[in-house]
Amino acid sequence: MAWCSLRSIHVPTVDVGLLRTRSPLAAVGGVVAGSSFLRSSSRNGSPFACLSLSTSPGNKRKTIRIKEAVATNKAPAALGPYSQAIKANNLLFVSGVLGLIPETGKFISDSVEDQTEQVLKNMGEILKASGADYSSVVKTTIMLADLKDFKKVNEIYAKYFPSPAPARSTYQVAALPLDAKIEIECIAALKA
């Protein structure tokens, strides 16, 4: 059997046998106190423990934080069962964004340049709704319908991200939702 909580952080080594009792757990210095754990099965039968705690500056009380969905009507709604973005552990994970006009749900145009501009405007609205901005972005992933558009996309992309630019991966993919020319997702660091 294995035990797991909702999130993980670095904690001192803990005797996993203690976790099997579902009793409150305490550690020296009050690092872990009264934590509850979820139980799950493990394929190989080896015990696994994972604990999630966070604190606010000046607040000595430890709390378990849950992921938080971010939504704004200033960017296109998700096309499926996913969130526009998720806040977790002072990070923001923005789902892939398309060059759709939020009010109509239609592409701004068929050109990769226009779609790239709209993607980045939509992403900016999601970042803003999350309390972040382009300078908070630490990683982007760009998916292109045609890698030949790489240079065109770079010219527009460079206008949005201040130096140092975020880490980035760019891929040509077989297809994108709604036959988009481009989709971009990102990860941003949030202020604590």
Side-chain angles (χ1 to χ4, degrees):
M1 295 206 198
W3 295 92
C4 185
S5 75
L6 300 174
R7 300 169 94 185
S8 63
I9 62 169
H10 299 311
V11 292
T13 303
V14 175
D15 179 1
V16 179
L18 294 174
L19 301 177
R20 295 182 185 169
T21 64
R22 287 191 183 218
S23 63
L25 177 67
V28 177
V31 173
V32 181
S35 300
S36 61
F37 291 86
L38 302 175
R39 184 175 160 183
S40 65
S41 62
S42 173
R43 280 190 204 151
N44 63 9
S46 64
F48 170 76
C50 163
L51 176 64
S52 169
L53 297 175
S54 64
T55 62
S56 302
N59 182 0
K60 293 184 180 185
R61 185 169 175 246
K62 310 295 181 193
T63 58
I64 295 177
R65 297 182 68 201
I66 307 295
K67 68 183 182 180
E68 176 187 342
V70 175
T72 178
N73 59 4
K74 294 183 179 181
L79 299 175
Y82 59 90
S83 301
Q84 287 175 319
I86 291 288
K87 286 182 181 182
N89 283 338
N90 295 328
L91 291 175
L92 176 69
F93 299 87
V94 178
S95 297
V97 180
L98 301 177
L100 301 172
I101 300 168
E103 297 80 16
T104 65
K106 307 281 185 202
F107 285 109
I108 188 148
S109 82
D110 209 26
S111 84
V112 72
E113 295 92 343
D114 290 344
Q115 285 189 28
T116 301
E117 196 79 47
Q118 189 64 43
V119 163
L120 292 165
K121 287 178 184 176
N122 292 340
M123 181 178 287
E125 292 297 336
I126 296 169
L127 291 167
K128 187 175 169 183
S130 307
D133 59 30
Y134 297 106
S135 68
S136 307
V137 176
V138 295
K139 171 75 166 82
T140 61
T141 303
I142 300 176
M143 290 145 284
L144 293 170
D146 188 346
L147 202 53
K148 291 177 186 165
D149 292 329
F150 185 78
K151 185 176 179 184
K152 296 174 192 174
V153 168
N154 277 342
E155 290 171 8
I156 297 162
Y157 178 95
K159 296 187 301 185
Y160 284 85
F161 294 100
S163 186
R168 184 177 98 177
S169 301
T170 303
Y171 304 99
Q172 176 175 315
V173 295
L176 289 167
L178 305 176
D179 291 324
K181 304 279 186 199
I182 184 169
E183 180 175 1
I184 304 176
E185 65 182 24
C186 74
I187 301 170
L190 300 171
K191 294 180 175 123

